[in-house]
Every structure is written in C-alpha cells, then in structure tokens.
C-alpha cells in the first residue's frame, strides 16, 4: 500500500497507508465512536462531504454485505481507520472494504494514531482536512484548504430528485427526504404505512394536495439554515398535519417555530449517547450523527417545549409543539447502527396521527 497523509487546516499532519481510491480529497474531519456498524456509517448520507474517522481500532473484519446499506451509494469523502481488515470473516460478507471504497472512488487512510486525531478534534474542534499522497508539500496543501469554499448544498446532493411511493395499507405519510437513511423508511413500512417520498424542496401546497395523515422530516447533512425552502414549508403545514422530525428534521422544525441552531464544537457521532426524557425521567442510549444542535435558550421565545436532553452536555435532544401535533428528536430512533431503545417513537408518531384524525372528526360532527 502506498503512503498517504492527512493534513488538517491547523497544520497537523498524519502519515499512514492508503487504501481504497487514490483520489485526493478534502472534507470536514469528524469522528464516530461506534464499535460496530461501519457499513451503515459509511453509507449514511448525513456524512456527505466529510472525512470520517472511526475510533474503534479494527474496521472491515466482517466485510461489506448487501443488507446493511443506509443509501444506494455513499456520500463520505474519505475514511480514516487505525487498522482495516484485508481478509474479512463473515458468512454474509460479499466484498472487502478496500474494493468497496475503490468502486465508489473513496480514499482511505490506515495505520495512523486515531486516538491522537480524535483528541485533536475534541480539543480544537472540527476542522477541514486534505487526504493526499505523501509527496505533496504541506504548505501547498494548506493553501488549497484555505481556497476551498465551504459546502452548502449537501442536502441537495443527497435528497431524491423526484417523488416516489412505497405503498402500504396504513396511514399515509409524506416523507421529506433531506438525505434519508433507509432505516427510517424501513420502520414506517414495517408499520404498514403508505409512504410518499418527496424532495427536500417540495412545496407545502403540493404536500397538502397529497392529503397525508402525517409528515416525516428525515435526517440529512450540513447546516439546517442552508435549507430555507424546507423551513418555509414546515411553517406552512405545521397547523394542519402531524409532524415527526429526526436529526436535521428536528433542527428544521425548531427553526420553523422561531428557535435557533448552532454549530457544535465536534458534534455527536456514535452509538452510545445517553439521553434523558424529562417527562418520564427515564434515560436511554441513542445513535447520533450531527454537527449542529438547537440552541436551548432560544426555545423560550417559541411555542416549543423541551422534552429530552443529552446527559453528557445537556444539549437539546427532543422538543414538541405546545399547540400543534408536532415533535422531533436529535438522535436516530431507527438506530442502524445502534441501540433500539427509542424505536417506540415511530409508534408515538402513529398514535399522534390517530389522535389528530379523531379530533378532526369530532370537530366535523360537533
């Protein structure tokens, strides 16, 4: 394997061995602390434009299989590991990590001290980095990093371009795709929902014409303020249709209701983040992947109520509207990968839809 290096924008350099594609690439360098589920992490559209560091030391040991993808093609810019397995051992394995990354033109870097890199990100905050051959001068790379503009179109890259239907006999759900993980769709179809998937910029009037029982706002990459079309749409449909938001969808619901969001120092990415439900007092583990969060103080000027908090840093993990049937969470209740403690939220969403239907019928016959 050829030598390759990662250069961070603060001048820190990590030299290791290259695998996957030989392409040079830049991206925001982030870390994920999960011990398993690397295939789902790599194929999570929320990592669009990012170079992902996996803190677990051995990656690729159970290969790549057909069943664990969260999207058709990955959107990550690069992958960094301590060690990757060239010879996976698993009865479901169809492919090695190296060949999978080559097929999707994604460069990888192995053999570096991932603990040191993770500590650097935790201390200095998330930084952009550049994966390249060892021959290129560091000063030249730093100039390139300074000249590369920040990405603002990740949602456009990852969202579906046209609406499509996944038929079912249950409640009719409009799923607004901001970079959807397939796990969300699986949970809805498992509950026999009739799902219409629409692009991120689908107008409110067009959604109303579909006459949905509920609206699902999915996860997605980037800064929520980069999607003003979605914020306007949510504000328009909020009084009429029950809403459930996940991750980016959670942030967009908050913005539509007048709250604010902020970029976190290094985000939450992993499968063991503890969250406390303020209403019940119960705590549970969650799967998370986000670099932005709803500003807690900004909720005070809105009709939103804080329902859940992160136990590690007290950040906002759940909200609900005090007037309209809408709620959201910052984490991933569909897990994939991660614990299934919060899977019940999909059932809560359907219960909210049922309550809203009953309420409308009572108003009609009153």
């Amino acid at each position: 394997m050829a030598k390759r290096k990662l250069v961070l924008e603060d001048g820190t350099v990590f030299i290791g061995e290259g695998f996957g594609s030989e392409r040079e690439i830049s991206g925001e360098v982030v870390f994920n602390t999960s011990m398993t589920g690397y295939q789902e992490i790599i194929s999570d559209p929320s990592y669009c434009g990012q170079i992902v560091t996996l803190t677990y030391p051995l990656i690729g040991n159970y290969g790549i299989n057909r069943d664990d993808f969260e999207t058709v093609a990955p959107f990550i810019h690069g992958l960094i590991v301590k060690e990757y397995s060239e010879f996976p051992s698993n009865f479901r394995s169809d492919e090695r990590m190296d060949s999978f990354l080559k097929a999707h033109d994604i460069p990888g870097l192995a053999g570096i001290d991932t603990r040191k890199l993770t500590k650097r990100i935790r201390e200095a905050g998330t930084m952009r980095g550049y994966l390249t051959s060892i021959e290129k001068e560091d000063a030249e790379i730093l100039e390139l990093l300074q000249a590369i503009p920040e990405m603002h179109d990740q949602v456009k890259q990852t969202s579906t371009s046209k609406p499509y239907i996944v038929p079912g006999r249950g409640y009719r759900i409009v799923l607004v795709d901001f970079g959807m993980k397939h796990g969300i769709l699986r949970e809805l179809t498992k509950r026999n929902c009739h799902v219409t998937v629409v692009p991120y910029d689908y107008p409110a009037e067009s959604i109303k014409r579909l006459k949905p029982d509920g609206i699902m706002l999915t996860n997605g990459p980037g800064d929520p303020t980069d999607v003003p079309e979605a914020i306007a749409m949510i504000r328009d449909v909020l009084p009429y249709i029950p809403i459930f938001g996940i991750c980016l969808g959670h942030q967009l619901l908050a913005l539509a209701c007048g709250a604010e969001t902020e970029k976190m120092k290094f985000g939450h990415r992993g499968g063991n983040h503890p969250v406390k439900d303020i209403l019940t007092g119960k705590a549970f583990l969650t799967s998370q992947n986000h670099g932005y969060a709803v500003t807690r103080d900004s909720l005070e000027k809105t009709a939103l109520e804080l329902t859940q908090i992160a136990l590690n840093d007290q950040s906002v993990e759940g909200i609900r509207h005090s007037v309209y049937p809408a709620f959201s969470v910052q984490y991933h209740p569909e897990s994939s990968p991660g614990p299934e403690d919060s899977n019940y939220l999909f059932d809560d969403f359907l219960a909210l839809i049922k309550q809203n239907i009953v309420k409308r019928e009572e108003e009609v016959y009153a």
Side-chain angles (χ1 to χ4, degrees), residues 59 132 147 261 318 351 354:
I59 299 298
T132 182
T261 57
K354 184 177 181 179

Side-chain angles (χ1 to χ4, degrees), residues 49-354:
Q50 296 178 326
I51 298 173
V52 181
T53 304
L54 298 178
T55 62
Y56 192 70
L58 180 62
I59 299 298
N61 53 317
Y62 54 87
I64 301 289
N65 67 75
R66 69 171 191 176
D67 298 327
D68 292 337
F69 289 108
E70 287 301 311
T71 191
V72 174
F75 291 93
I76 65 169
H77 275 194
L79 183 68
I80 300 174
V81 301
K82 171 63 177 174
E83 178 184 357
Y84 87 96
S85 176
E86 294 186 66
F87 305 102
S89 177
N90 187 284
F91 74 97
R92 293 198 305 157
S93 177
D94 298 315
E95 189 175 8
R96 294 181 298 118
M97 174 77 73
D98 181 57
S99 62
F100 173 78
L101 293 182
K102 280 187 171 76
H104 293 281
D105 201 21
I106 299 171
L109 177 67
I112 72 162
D113 188 343
T114 51
R115 291 178 300 178
K116 182 178 179 180
L117 174 57
T118 300
K119 286 181 178 179
R120 184 68 195 133
I121 295 171
R122 287 181 64 89
E123 291 167 359
T126 300
M127 291 177 280
R128 289 191 296 174
Y130 201 94
L131 276 175
T132 182
S133 64
I134 197 171
E135 289 80 16
K136 184 166 282 189
E137 294 293 331
D138 296 347
E140 179 186 356
I141 297 170
L142 289 172
E143 287 184 15
L144 282 172
L145 278 173
Q146 293 298 321
I148 296 172
E150 287 190 23
M151 295 179 67
H152 292 282
D153 64 343
Q154 296 102 311
V155 169
K156 183 178 180 179
Q157 289 185 45
T158 56
S159 175
T160 184
S161 58
K162 295 181 180 179
Y164 62 91
I165 290 174
V166 182
R169 295 291 186 181
Y171 291 122
R172 303 181 76 88
I173 307 297
V174 166
L175 186 152
V176 187
D177 179 10
F178 300 113
M180 170 190 63
K181 287 176 64 182
H182 287 172
I184 296 174
L185 192 56
R186 283 194 296 268
E187 292 300 328
L188 292 174
T189 55
K190 187 167 70 175
R191 291 163 173 80
N192 205 29
C193 294
H194 179 96
V195 183
T196 303
V197 182
V198 301
Y200 75 99
D201 56 354
Y202 210 61
E205 195 57 41
S206 298
I207 290 178
K208 290 177 184 177
R209 284 187 173 276
L210 294 172
K211 301 188 184 303
D213 298 312
I215 297 174
M216 170 68 72
L217 308 174
T218 77
N219 66 292
D223 185 342
T225 60
D226 289 337
V227 201
E229 311 96 319
I231 296 170
M233 177 275 292
I234 295 167
R235 194 175 291 132
D236 195 337
V237 301
L238 180 61
Y240 310 106
I241 308 168
I243 294 175
F244 178 21
I246 292 174
C247 201
L248 182 65
H250 158 80
Q251 298 160 14
L252 291 169
L253 175 63
L255 289 172
C257 294
E260 298 170 0
T261 57
E262 60 185 350
K263 186 164 186 178
M264 306 174 79
K265 186 175 181 180
F266 49 81
H268 292 169
R269 298 177 179 88
N272 60 347
H273 287 264
V275 168
K276 180 180 179 180
D277 190 302
I278 296 174
L279 306 177
T280 65
K282 292 182 178 180
F284 44 90
L285 292 178
T286 65
S287 175
Q288 302 201 13
N289 173 19
H290 60 100
Y292 288 81
V294 176
T295 306
R296 188 165 178 172
D297 292 343
S298 71
L299 294 175
E300 296 177 2
K301 61 183 181 181
T302 73
L304 296 172
E305 299 174 350
L306 180 67
T307 58
Q308 297 178 349
I309 58 170
L311 287 176
N312 287 337
D313 60 10
Q314 305 300 301
S315 60
V316 176
E317 291 288 347
I319 55 175
R320 71 177 181 185
H321 202 282
S322 60
V323 179
Y324 303 125
F327 73 102
S328 62
V329 293
Q330 182 61 80
Y331 51 88
H332 288 266
E334 83 286 354
S335 59
S336 300
E340 299 181 354
D341 300 24
S342 55
N343 196 259
Y344 69 90
L345 290 172
F346 290 96
D347 297 317
D348 285 358
F349 179 42
L350 300 189
L352 184 65
I353 288 173
K354 184 177 181 179

